[in-house]
Amino acid sequence: MSHPLLRFEGVLLALMFIWFLGLSDGCDEDEEFECPEDGRCIPIDGLCDAKPDCLYASDESFTVCKVHLSDMMADKYHCATGAAIPGRLACNGIVDCSDGSDELPQVCGSDPGKLEERFRGNCTGQKDLECLPGECVPHSAKCDNVIDCSNGRDESLEICMQTCEENKCFQCANGVLLDSKDLCDNKMDCLDGSDELSNVCGNAINWKEVPPAACHETLEHRFSNRTVFQRRNALRFVYANQAAEVQCWNSDRKSWNVCMNNGSWHHDFPPCIGKPVNRNPDTNGTNGCPINWYNNETMIIINWNDDGESIALPPIRNSRVTFRCLEDLTFLPYEFKDKPITCQANKTWIEMDFHPRCTNLCSPEQISEMYSLTPRCYNGDNGSPINCQDKYSLVPNTHVKFECASGFIHKTSDPMRVKCTEDGEWEGLRDLCEKQERHCNYECNHRLNYSEVTMSKGGDATDSLQASWLVPIYKWNSTTSRHEFVCTGNLIRLDIVLTAAHCLNDRNSRPENFLVGPTGNRSASMDPKYLHRVRNLEVYGAYSKINHIYDVGIVVLERRMDFKQDQRIVCLPYNVGSHLDLIGDAMVSSWNSDGYLATVYGRLSEPRNGDLNVVLHDGYTLCKGDSGSGVITTCGLDNHKCLVAVVSRNVGSGDHGTFCSNNVTAATLISPHLQDYIQQLIRNNINCPE
Ligand SMILES: *[C@@H]1O[C@H](CO)[C@@H](O)[C@H](O)[C@H]1NC(C)=O
Ligand SMILES: *[C@@H]1O[C@H](CO)[C@@H](O)[C@H](O)[C@H]1NC(C)=O
Ligand SMILES: *[C@@H]1O[C@H](CO)[C@@H](O)[C@H](O)[C@H]1NC(C)=O
Ligand SMILES: *[C@@H]1O[C@H](CO)[C@@H](O)[C@H](O)[C@H]1NC(C)=O
Ligand SMILES: *[C@@H]1O[C@H](CO)[C@@H](O)[C@H](O)[C@H]1NC(C)=O
Ligand SMILES: *[C@@H]1O[C@H](CO)[C@@H](O)[C@H](O)[C@H]1NC(C)=O
Ligand SMILES: *[C@@H]1O[C@H](CO)[C@@H](O)[C@H](O)[C@H]1NC(C)=O
Ligand SMILES: *[C@@H]1O[C@H](CO)[C@@H](O)[C@H](O)[C@H]1NC(C)=O
Ligand SMILES: *[C@@H]1O[C@H](CO)[C@@H](O)[C@H](O)[C@H]1NC(C)=O
Ligand SMILES: *[C@@H]1O[C@H](CO)[C@@H](O)[C@H](O)[C@H]1NC(C)=O
Ligand SMILES: [Ca+2]
Ligand SMILES: [Ca+2]
């Protein structure tokens, strides 16, 4: 009889191989967690807080979040994944745990009869648990630590969740409570192996670390869109006791399987029909080690021997080799790049599951940079969703379906799709990009709540939501070697900022000298990760440097901003219809000297020479850094609020904005002519791939 642990050795080798490769040294270990899927660093606070931060939610996996009984906090509710949430969030009707375990009926009290009825589904008689439609197993199969359902439902969290009475119990990731003596005894008692994880047992005596078991997708059987998988670099897998639906690579034949805690799939996958047979004895395992995936058009083989390296051709026998991609193709999975593998004398590889591929990849930036479209990516036409930010996932035949970005509304129901070609290009993207205007419309002042703006200069801080189109513009000062705040800008598209021309127009005004911050707190916004680089500066042609009339300019950002709650675009009159009320009250929001958003009020005077004068009410002032702020008033038939002018200069003293003005401020009117200019400029700045 072999002890169960001995059976791990084969798996262990392969797992360690995967686990300890490709770790970068990028993250600060004390303050950050490195997402294994892509090496991104997230703040340590984001780890096991029940909210996924990593691309594939590895920061919330039970394999990192599960803790020992002695580390559980009495005042917290521990999700079955181990993540701790405030106790009051359990059973509050809102799912807070990433696995939903805080709202399961077993915990929150529900009629057991109802629950049984739900599990039964359409099953009858003794076989009263429905795994999948039509697949029934007996009652005794429920949570007996043996996988009976093809999709593992009989051992899933949904069915097996148990409530801990005294608030301190060890629970497997599928909700089953475990006796504390079974913890860290080098024997997996949980189907998911959570009782023997290093984060649970790290301090235990005589405990031997075994990496968490994982089952990988194969080349033939790819995860379907119903599988919630993890990813480590380019390899996709599920952890133990997690179900996976796979789809044949060449057909839509699907089947379910469950990963076991020794790293094997619970049952064999049904064969995929029509799998091509490799009749080449040099690559199919007859004359040498099998390399069915070898493609002489895309890869070369380097043979390592005592004399150094040399190029080899199949068959490969009894040697150590590396596969390399030709030209600028990308090697996948990239963590195996330049990794030597060994072909043994008996024509088998020491390493298992080595299936490299050399491929072109499509660009994640190109699909995420369009101002009004948000991509959703799929593995094939009807395949599983993949993350559009993840460049190693964007292989040929990745399909992308677009939706109008939040803040935009659909104008048509036309499908918006592109796909990645073998050459690594997005087919149809340029066309779609250029025609965005036809598909999606701005909701320019959607959710702006002007009535709440009650701030005055020097008053209390106002919420950035209330002036969510305002962005600070920073310019490089070569004397101080710093970027300094110079003017206020207004987002009129997610990548276009309207401001005053004089902010952009001098000898040092080159795009690379400018940065644009996010809306909100000006002083807090110098964190480089929130700053936007500038692609282009445009000054209205009629702008006069002498008397500063037609003082309007535009900053085009290199990349669009995200549409966030506190980031909105402002309406220009043309967005909402032609009616403009240019006499009456107006307001100007910008930052006060402390960096807080503030608003001043005034009365508009008749427009003259392209200027609209704002006569400020008593006690309000506008100063140098307020240049470029928008003058906001009522416009359009629905009494929208729009930006009708851009603050330019203090006319009282004839000065162009160096000092503060407390009575009359000149602002450049967004006249119909200027609107045309802006619209034209917007059209010319649709940033589409070549
Ligand atoms: C994993 O366990 C199953 C059944 O318990 C067994 O059939 C299989 O061979 C094991 N796999 C490995 C790699 O040890
Ligand atoms: C039972 O089967 C019927 C017909 O196949 C289906 O419409 C119904 O939704 C099923 N009920 C449950 C609870 O799955
Ligand atoms: C490999 O190719 C040879 C020659 O065509 C064939 O006889 C053999 O069966 C093939 N082997 C496999 C495993 O497909
Ligand atoms: C690849 O192999 C095929 C068939 O063996 C051969 O015809 C072709 O010339 C090879 N191509 C390269 C680039 O070596
Ligand atoms: C091939 O040889 C290696 C080492 O000599 C051995 O571990 C392995 O089991 C052999 N494989 C087969 C299929 O014979
Ligand atoms: C998965 O793909 C199928 C088509 O193959 C589609 O009908 C289904 O809605 C998709 N499901 C999800 C969850 O995206
Ligand atoms: C806007 O402000 C009004 C008045 O303060 C308030 O009643 C309303 O709920 C706010 N609307 C939104 C969407 O915040
Ligand atoms: C740059 O900083 C210096 C020192 O604070 C200041 O005197 C100068 O006016 C700044 N230059 C510009 C262009 O703002
Ligand atoms: C604005 O930023 C400053 C400096 O970073 C900070 O002290 C202040 O609390 C922030 N205010 C708000 C409202 O975020
Ligand atoms: C604006 O204020 C300045 C001084 O504060 C004053 O000299 C000037 O006449 C005022 N202009 C108007 C139009 O009220
Ligand atoms: Ca069972
Ligand atoms: Ca155990």
Side-chain angles (χ1 to χ4, degrees):
M1 277 297 286
S2 71
H3 188 275
L5 257 183
L6 293 178
R7 286 190 267 133
F8 282 91
E9 278 171 9
V11 189
L12 200 61
L13 236 181
L15 285 175
M16 307 265 267
F17 186 42
I18 292 157
W19 242 241
F20 299 113
L21 275 168
L23 290 180
S24 79
D25 44 14
C27 300
D28 175 348
E29 259 188 46
D30 295 332
E31 291 180 3
E32 292 173 323
F33 171 73
E34 181 173 310
C35 301
E37 47 268 66
D38 57 0
R40 211 177 64 195
C41 306
I42 63 159
I44 205 91
D45 304 347
L47 189 62
C48 303
D49 64 350
K51 296 185 204 81
D53 295 285
C54 293
L55 263 179
Y56 290 89
S58 59
D59 57 314
E60 296 302 325
S61 162
F62 72 93
T63 57
V64 301
C65 297
K66 208 75 205 167
V67 292
H68 195 273
L69 209 47
S70 56
D71 292 327
M72 287 173 71
M73 289 169 279
D75 57 333
K76 301 273 186 176
Y77 180 80
H78 284 266
C79 305
T81 58
I85 60 170
R88 65 189 153 78
L89 298 183
C91 304
N92 66 347
I94 299 163
V95 172
D96 297 285
C97 290
S98 57
D99 60 355
S101 53
D102 58 322
E103 299 296 327
L104 284 172
Q106 291 95 328
V107 183
C108 301
S110 137
D111 181 354
K114 272 215 173 107
L115 212 54
E116 294 296 315
E117 196 180 305
R118 201 168 86 204
F119 297 162
R120 174 187 288 274
N122 274 336
C123 293
T124 52
Q126 293 295 299
K127 294 197 160 184
D128 66 351
L129 171 61
E130 190 171 54
C131 305
L132 287 164
E135 185 190 337
C136 302
V137 296
H139 188 86
S140 57
K142 263 182 226 170
C143 311
D144 63 349
N145 243 15
V146 178
I147 296 164
D148 298 280
C149 286
S150 63
N151 64 349
R153 190 178 184 217
D154 59 315
E155 303 297 324
S156 67
L157 177 70
E158 177 206 0
I159 307 254
C160 301
M161 182 68 183
Q162 284 181 285
T163 314
C164 174
E165 295 301 341
E166 288 92 41
N167 204 19
K168 262 203 165 186
C169 313
F170 186 85
Q171 194 160 36
C172 302
N174 70 345
V176 170
L177 298 181
L178 209 62
D179 201 294
S180 61
K181 73 175 165 38
D182 290 327
L183 267 181
C184 312
D185 60 354
N186 294 319
K187 176 177 163 294
M188 290 202 192
D189 298 283
C190 292
L191 278 180
D192 42 57
S194 44
D195 56 321
E196 303 294 327
L197 293 166
S198 68
N199 30 305
V200 173
C201 305
N203 300 324
I205 325 156
N206 292 334
W207 175 81
K208 228 175 92 220
E209 176 161 6
V210 177
C215 300
H216 291 88
E217 182 183 56
T218 69
L219 278 191
E220 268 176 64
H221 295 95
R222 311 281 296 170
F223 290 147
S224 83
N225 63 357
R226 290 203 275 185
T227 302
V228 180
F229 54 82
Q230 295 278 307
R231 215 198 55 168
R232 191 164 287 255
N233 296 330
L235 294 177
R236 311 200 305 174
F237 63 92
V238 296
Y239 284 117
N241 203 39
Q242 295 185 340
E245 190 191 47
V246 297
Q247 178 171 7
C248 279
W249 68 285
N250 58 353
S251 70
D252 49 15
R253 178 164 189 180
K254 294 194 178 104
S255 61
W256 282 95
N257 214 327
V258 186
C259 182
M260 294 194 297
N261 60 22
N262 65 3
S264 296
W265 288 106
H266 183 245
H267 44 264
D268 289 339
F269 291 108
C272 290
I273 38 171
K275 189 189 163 198
V277 181
N278 180 3
R279 297 257 166 237
N280 181 347
D282 288 344
T283 57
N284 77 1
T286 302
N287 297 341
C289 280
I291 42 170
N292 288 297
W293 36 262
Y294 174 73
N295 178 344
N296 68 348
E297 307 276 338
T298 58
M299 43 180 83
I300 53 170
I301 309 169
I302 311 288
N303 194 347
W304 298 85
N305 51 34
D306 298 341
D307 312 330
E309 54 180 290
S310 59
I311 292 189
L313 285 172
I316 301 163
R317 267 186 298 238
N318 207 10
S319 57
R320 206 165 147 73
V321 296
T322 309
F323 290 85
R324 270 201 203 139
C325 292
L326 288 171
E327 286 152 12
D328 42 10
L329 297 175
T330 304
F331 191 95
L332 291 181
Y334 69 85
E335 57 269 49
F336 289 110
K337 188 169 189 278
D338 298 330
K339 171 92 193 160
I341 59 169
T342 306
C343 178
Q344 306 172 104
N346 58 7
K347 300 180 200 163
T348 59
W349 296 103
I350 290 185
E351 298 79 4
M352 51 183 268
D353 267 351
F354 185 80
H355 291 276
R357 166 178 182 182
C358 292
T359 181
N360 283 300
L361 294 172
C362 281
S363 144
E365 287 84 22
Q366 286 181 352
I367 49 172
S368 54
E369 281 298 290
M370 287 180 290
Y371 70 91
S372 69
L373 299 176
T374 300
R376 305 235 180 278
C377 298
Y378 299 88
N379 180 15
D381 191 9
N382 277 317
S384 53
I386 51 181
N387 195 307
C388 295
Q389 307 292 317
D390 175 16
K391 67 173 176 172
Y392 294 107
S393 288
L394 305 182
V395 297
N397 201 33
T398 296
H399 283 241
V400 185
K401 299 174 190 171
F402 288 94
E403 289 167 11
C404 292
S406 97
F408 291 82
I409 36 178
H410 284 267
K411 277 165 97 172
T412 66
S413 55
D414 299 349
M416 299 182 277
R417 292 164 173 244
V418 302
K419 85 169 203 206
C420 181
T421 65
E422 287 299 323
D423 299 332
E425 274 158 23
W426 293 113
E427 190 176 88
L429 186 64
R430 188 179 167 78
D431 193 44
L432 179 65
C433 178
E434 285 172 347
K435 292 179 184 151
Q436 286 173 78
E437 256 179 289
R438 282 201 210 157
H439 294 288
C440 305
N441 231 2
Y442 270 138
E443 285 181 291
C444 63
N445 70 347
H446 178 67
R447 297 211 296 163
L448 295 185
N449 207 341
Y450 294 83
S451 59
E452 285 177 3
V453 180
T454 56
M455 293 302 312
S456 65
K457 273 293 199 220
D460 306 329
T462 191
D463 189 326
S464 64
L465 238 192
Q466 295 153 2
S468 49
W469 66 91
L470 284 183
V471 289
I473 299 175
Y474 303 97
K475 189 175 175 190
W476 180 254
N477 182 328
S478 50
T479 315
T480 57
S481 290
R482 270 160 34 107
H483 280 98
E484 288 171 357
F485 173 75
V486 285
C487 279
T488 303
N490 309 276
L491 280 181
I492 56 171
R493 201 172 80 182
L494 289 176
D495 55 353
I496 298 194
V497 174
L498 178 67
T499 187
H502 75 259
C503 302
L504 312 177
N505 193 260
D506 70 36
R507 272 177 298 128
N508 301 321
S509 292
R510 289 190 303 273
E512 57 273 26
N513 289 339
F514 284 85
L515 287 173
V516 171
T519 62
N521 188 342
R522 194 187 82 201
S523 49
S525 57
M526 287 306 279
D527 182 341
K529 108 176 138 191
Y530 300 116
L531 292 173
H532 293 259
R533 290 212 298 222
V534 169
R535 184 151 52 90
N536 211 356
L537 299 173
E538 304 269 358
V539 168
Y540 185 46
Y543 167 61
S544 157
K545 279 188 204 175
I546 296 159
N547 55 15
H548 301 283
I549 53 169
Y550 300 115
D551 190 4
V552 163
I554 275 182
V555 178
V556 182
L557 305 181
E558 271 190 7
R559 305 183 56 168
R560 78 168 203 199
M561 295 196 179
D562 290 332
F563 233 136
K564 289 195 283 262
Q565 233 210 342
D566 59 352
Q567 208 124 277
R568 294 272 148 190
I569 52 178
V570 67
C571 292
L572 297 184
Y574 67 78
N575 292 121
V576 286
S578 56
H579 176 74
L580 267 184
D581 183 9
L582 291 181
I583 330 168
D585 291 332
M587 58 183 221
V588 176
S589 295
S590 69
W591 283 278
N592 64 17
S593 49
D594 303 326
Y596 292 114
L597 282 169
T599 300
V600 301
Y601 295 90
R603 196 167 34 78
L604 294 177
S605 69
E606 281 287 334
R608 196 149 29 102
N609 295 337
D611 279 339
L612 195 58
N613 284 340
V614 185
V615 183
L616 297 176
H617 293 330
D618 278 354
Y620 294 121
T621 53
L622 284 170
C623 300
K624 191 179 173 189
D626 299 325
S627 288
S629 310
V631 176
I632 306 294
T633 188
T634 309
C635 72
L637 299 173
D638 301 335
N639 280 347
H640 276 282
K641 300 283 179 180
C642 319
L643 185 156
V644 294
V646 173
V647 169
S648 169
R649 62 201 182 278
N650 173 4
V651 278
S653 64
D655 174 274
H656 52 90
T658 315
F659 306 107
C660 294
S661 81
N662 54 12
N663 49 17
V664 187
T665 302
T668 304
L669 177 69
I670 306 297
S671 63
H673 190 255
L674 239 164
Q675 286 185 42
D676 288 347
Y677 160 78
I678 292 170
Q679 273 184 296
Q680 190 57 44
L681 216 136
I682 286 180
R683 258 184 241 117
N684 294 347
N685 274 291
I686 295 179
N687 184 18
C688 289
E690 288 308 311

PDB file of all heavy atoms in Angstrom, residues 69-83:
ATOM      1  N   LEU A  69      -7.182  27.804  12.461  1.00  0.00           N
ATOM      2  CA  LEU A  69      -8.175  28.048  13.505  1.00  0.00           C
ATOM      3  C   LEU A  69      -7.709  29.132  14.475  1.00  0.00           C
ATOM      4  O   LEU A  69      -8.461  30.033  14.855  1.00  0.00           O
ATOM      5  CB  LEU A  69      -8.349  26.725  14.260  1.00  0.00           C
ATOM      6  CG  LEU A  69      -9.644  26.386  14.926  1.00  0.00           C
ATOM      7  CD1 LEU A  69     -10.813  26.643  14.015  1.00  0.00           C
ATOM      8  CD2 LEU A  69      -9.588  24.907  15.293  1.00  0.00           C
ATOM      9  N   SER A  70      -6.428  29.048  14.851  1.00  0.00           N
ATOM     10  CA  SER A  70      -5.924  29.962  15.867  1.00  0.00           C
ATOM     11  C   SER A  70      -5.734  31.379  15.317  1.00  0.00           C
ATOM     12  O   SER A  70      -5.497  32.302  16.088  1.00  0.00           O
ATOM     13  CB  SER A  70      -4.589  29.430  16.407  1.00  0.00           C
ATOM     14  OG  SER A  70      -3.706  29.261  15.325  1.00  0.00           O
ATOM     15  N   ASP A  71      -5.815  31.536  14.010  1.00  0.00           N
ATOM     16  CA  ASP A  71      -5.664  32.878  13.440  1.00  0.00           C
ATOM     17  C   ASP A  71      -7.008  33.503  13.073  1.00  0.00           C
ATOM     18  O   ASP A  71      -7.054  34.600  12.515  1.00  0.00           O
ATOM     19  CB  ASP A  71      -4.794  32.826  12.173  1.00  0.00           C
ATOM     20  CG  ASP A  71      -3.364  32.478  12.499  1.00  0.00           C
ATOM     21  OD1 ASP A  71      -2.907  32.874  13.589  1.00  0.00           O
ATOM     22  OD2 ASP A  71      -2.713  31.796  11.684  1.00  0.00           O
ATOM     23  N   MET A  72      -8.083  32.801  13.373  1.00  0.00           N
ATOM     24  CA  MET A  72      -9.382  33.356  13.008  1.00  0.00           C
ATOM     25  C   MET A  72      -9.777  34.417  14.023  1.00  0.00           C
ATOM     26  O   MET A  72      -9.473  34.325  15.204  1.00  0.00           O
ATOM     27  CB  MET A  72     -10.438  32.246  12.935  1.00  0.00           C
ATOM     28  CG  MET A  72     -10.230  31.382  11.704  1.00  0.00           C
ATOM     29  SD  MET A  72     -11.291  29.937  11.630  1.00  0.00           S
ATOM     30  CE  MET A  72     -12.867  30.672  11.306  1.00  0.00           C
ATOM     31  N   MET A  73     -10.467  35.456  13.525  1.00  0.00           N
ATOM     32  CA  MET A  73     -10.823  36.569  14.400  1.00  0.00           C
ATOM     33  C   MET A  73     -12.266  36.423  14.852  1.00  0.00           C
ATOM     34  O   MET A  73     -13.169  36.251  14.056  1.00  0.00           O
ATOM     35  CB  MET A  73     -10.619  37.876  13.649  1.00  0.00           C
ATOM     36  CG  MET A  73      -9.143  38.178  13.443  1.00  0.00           C
ATOM     37  SD  MET A  73      -8.873  39.539  12.295  1.00  0.00           S
ATOM     38  CE  MET A  73      -9.052  38.716  10.730  1.00  0.00           C
ATOM     39  N   ALA A  74     -12.459  36.546  16.167  1.00  0.00           N
ATOM     40  CA  ALA A  74     -13.780  36.283  16.735  1.00  0.00           C
ATOM     41  C   ALA A  74     -14.827  37.290  16.258  1.00  0.00           C
ATOM     42  O   ALA A  74     -15.989  36.962  16.102  1.00  0.00           O
ATOM     43  CB  ALA A  74     -13.700  36.305  18.252  1.00  0.00           C
ATOM     44  N   ASP A  75     -14.395  38.543  16.023  1.00  0.00           N
ATOM     45  CA  ASP A  75     -15.386  39.564  15.656  1.00  0.00           C
ATOM     46  C   ASP A  75     -15.637  39.618  14.148  1.00  0.00           C
ATOM     47  O   ASP A  75     -16.345  40.480  13.666  1.00  0.00           O
ATOM     48  CB  ASP A  75     -14.920  40.930  16.154  1.00  0.00           C
ATOM     49  CG  ASP A  75     -13.546  41.282  15.610  1.00  0.00           C
ATOM     50  OD1 ASP A  75     -12.757  40.346  15.305  1.00  0.00           O
ATOM     51  OD2 ASP A  75     -13.248  42.484  15.483  1.00  0.00           O
ATOM     52  N   LYS A  76     -15.030  38.699  13.406  1.00  0.00           N
ATOM     53  CA  LYS A  76     -15.197  38.733  11.952  1.00  0.00           C
ATOM     54  C   LYS A  76     -16.006  37.532  11.484  1.00  0.00           C
ATOM     55  O   LYS A  76     -16.060  36.503  12.162  1.00  0.00           O
ATOM     56  CB  LYS A  76     -13.830  38.673  11.257  1.00  0.00           C
ATOM     57  CG  LYS A  76     -12.917  39.796  11.626  1.00  0.00           C
ATOM     58  CD  LYS A  76     -13.144  40.989  10.744  1.00  0.00           C
ATOM     59  CE  LYS A  76     -12.100  42.058  11.037  1.00  0.00           C
ATOM     60  NZ  LYS A  76     -12.206  43.191  10.166  1.00  0.00           N
ATOM     61  N   TYR A  77     -16.553  37.688  10.313  1.00  0.00           N
ATOM     62  CA  TYR A  77     -17.135  36.530   9.663  1.00  0.00           C
ATOM     63  C   TYR A  77     -16.109  36.027   8.659  1.00  0.00           C
ATOM     64  O   TYR A  77     -15.610  36.806   7.838  1.00  0.00           O
ATOM     65  CB  TYR A  77     -18.443  36.902   8.948  1.00  0.00           C
ATOM     66  CG  TYR A  77     -19.070  35.716   8.262  1.00  0.00           C
ATOM     67  CD1 TYR A  77     -19.821  34.792   8.992  1.00  0.00           C
ATOM     68  CD2 TYR A  77     -18.872  35.486   6.901  1.00  0.00           C
ATOM     69  CE1 TYR A  77     -20.366  33.681   8.376  1.00  0.00           C
ATOM     70  CE2 TYR A  77     -19.416  34.373   6.281  1.00  0.00           C
ATOM     71  CZ  TYR A  77     -20.161  33.473   7.022  1.00  0.00           C
ATOM     72  OH  TYR A  77     -20.696  32.365   6.424  1.00  0.00           O
ATOM     73  N   HIS A  78     -15.784  34.740   8.748  1.00  0.00           N
ATOM     74  CA  HIS A  78     -14.820  34.195   7.803  1.00  0.00           C
ATOM     75  C   HIS A  78     -15.554  33.516   6.662  1.00  0.00           C
ATOM     76  O   HIS A  78     -16.327  32.587   6.869  1.00  0.00           O
ATOM     77  CB  HIS A  78     -13.869  33.213   8.494  1.00  0.00           C
ATOM     78  CG  HIS A  78     -12.839  33.905   9.308  1.00  0.00           C
ATOM     79  ND1 HIS A  78     -11.592  34.218   8.825  1.00  0.00           N
ATOM     80  CD2 HIS A  78     -12.874  34.392  10.567  1.00  0.00           C
ATOM     81  CE1 HIS A  78     -10.903  34.852   9.754  1.00  0.00           C
ATOM     82  NE2 HIS A  78     -11.662  34.972  10.827  1.00  0.00           N
ATOM     83  N   CYS A  79     -15.334  34.016   5.461  1.00  0.00           N
ATOM     84  CA  CYS A  79     -15.897  33.387   4.274  1.00  0.00           C
ATOM     85  C   CYS A  79     -15.295  31.983   4.173  1.00  0.00           C
ATOM     86  O   CYS A  79     -14.243  31.715   4.761  1.00  0.00           O
ATOM     87  CB  CYS A  79     -15.510  34.156   3.013  1.00  0.00           C
ATOM     88  SG  CYS A  79     -15.936  35.910   3.044  1.00  0.00           S
ATOM     89  N   ALA A  80     -15.913  31.132   3.391  1.00  0.00           N
ATOM     90  CA  ALA A  80     -15.342  29.795   3.237  1.00  0.00           C
ATOM     91  C   ALA A  80     -13.971  29.852   2.570  1.00  0.00           C
ATOM     92  O   ALA A  80     -13.148  28.963   2.738  1.00  0.00           O
ATOM     93  CB  ALA A  80     -16.295  28.903   2.449  1.00  0.00           C
ATOM     94  N   THR A  81     -13.687  30.931   1.862  1.00  0.00           N
ATOM     95  CA  THR A  81     -12.350  31.089   1.281  1.00  0.00           C
ATOM     96  C   THR A  81     -11.331  31.476   2.339  1.00  0.00           C
ATOM     97  O   THR A  81     -10.138  31.481   2.072  1.00  0.00           O
ATOM     98  CB  THR A  81     -12.317  32.227   0.250  1.00  0.00           C
ATOM     99  OG1 THR A  81     -12.726  33.432   0.918  1.00  0.00           O
ATOM    100  CG2 THR A  81     -13.220  31.958  -0.930  1.00  0.00           C
ATOM    101  N   GLY A  82     -11.814  31.886   3.523  1.00  0.00           N
ATOM    102  CA  GLY A  82     -10.914  32.333   4.573  1.00  0.00           C
ATOM    103  C   GLY A  82     -10.876  33.847   4.717  1.00  0.00           C
ATOM    104  O   GLY A  82     -10.469  34.357   5.752  1.00  0.00           O
ATOM    105  N   ALA A  83     -11.296  34.582   3.684  1.00  0.00           N
ATOM    106  CA  ALA A  83     -11.298  36.047   3.767  1.00  0.00           C
ATOM    107  C   ALA A  83     -12.192  36.468   4.931  1.00  0.00           C
ATOM    108  O   ALA A  83     -13.230  35.860   5.178  1.00  0.00           O
ATOM    109  CB  ALA A  83     -11.802  36.647   2.462  1.00  0.00           C
TER     110      ALA A  83
END
